[in-house]
Amino acid sequence: QVQLVESGGGLVQAGGSLRLSCVASASIASINLVAWYRQAPGKQREMVANTVGGGVRTYADFVRGRFTISRDTVKNTVYLQMNNLKPEDTAVYYCQVVKGVAYWGQGTSVTVTS
C-alpha cells in the first residue's frame, strides 16, 4: 500500500505560480505511472498531467505549456510546477500513483483570484 500526502496549494493571483508536492510512503522508483488530477467545485475529476516511466509526460490541453510534472525518486516525491495560473485552475489537486492499483492522496486546494 502507498500513502500519498500532497502540499503546496494555496491562494494566488492570476499569473502567479505554485509548486505542488506529493510525498509517497514507498519508493516511487519502481512505480511506472504517477499523475496529478484536479477537481473543481461541481465538476468531475480530470487528469492534469502524468508521467510514465519517469520519461514520457502527458499534459491536458488546458495546462500544456504552463504546468510541468516531475518526480524525484530519491525523495519519493512527485511535483507539479504551475505557472501563469488562471482563475479556471481553481480546484483541489490530487496526486495519483499506480502500483497494481491506483492510490490517491487527500488533495491540496488551489485558489486563483483574478
Side-chain angles (χ1 to χ4, degrees):
Q1 191 161 356
V2 182
Q3 294 180 330
L4 304 172
V5 178
E6 300 102 329
S7 63
L11 180 68
V12 64
Q13 286 189 328
S17 298
L18 286 173
R19 188 177 79 157
L20 305 183
S21 299
C22 171
V23 180
S25 62
S27 172
I28 65 170
S30 61
I31 294 177
N32 194 40
L33 175 64
V34 297
W36 285 95
Y37 284 72
R38 72 184 187 186
Q39 188 167 18
K43 295 187 176 181
Q44 290 189 332
R45 192 171 297 190
E46 58 187 358
M47 195 276 289
V48 175
N50 67 46
T51 176
V52 177
V56 176
R57 301 175 185 178
T58 301
Y59 296 95
D61 288 343
F62 51 78
V63 302
R64 188 173 292 113
R66 300 188 296 124
F67 291 11
T68 302
I69 186 171
S70 62
R71 61 179 178 178
D72 185 329
T73 55
V74 174
K75 296 182 178 180
N76 293 324
T77 302
V78 183
Y79 300 101
L80 185 68
Q81 178 66 43
M82 307 188 295
N83 298 328
N84 190 22
L85 283 159
K86 304 176 181 180
E88 51 264 44
D89 293 320
T90 295
V92 177
Y93 285 72
Y94 297 90
C95 177
Q96 180 204 55
V97 301
V98 179
K99 187 175 184 179
V101 297
Y103 296 93
W104 295 90
Q106 82 291 345
T108 185
S109 181
V110 172
T111 302
V112 184
T113 61
S114 57

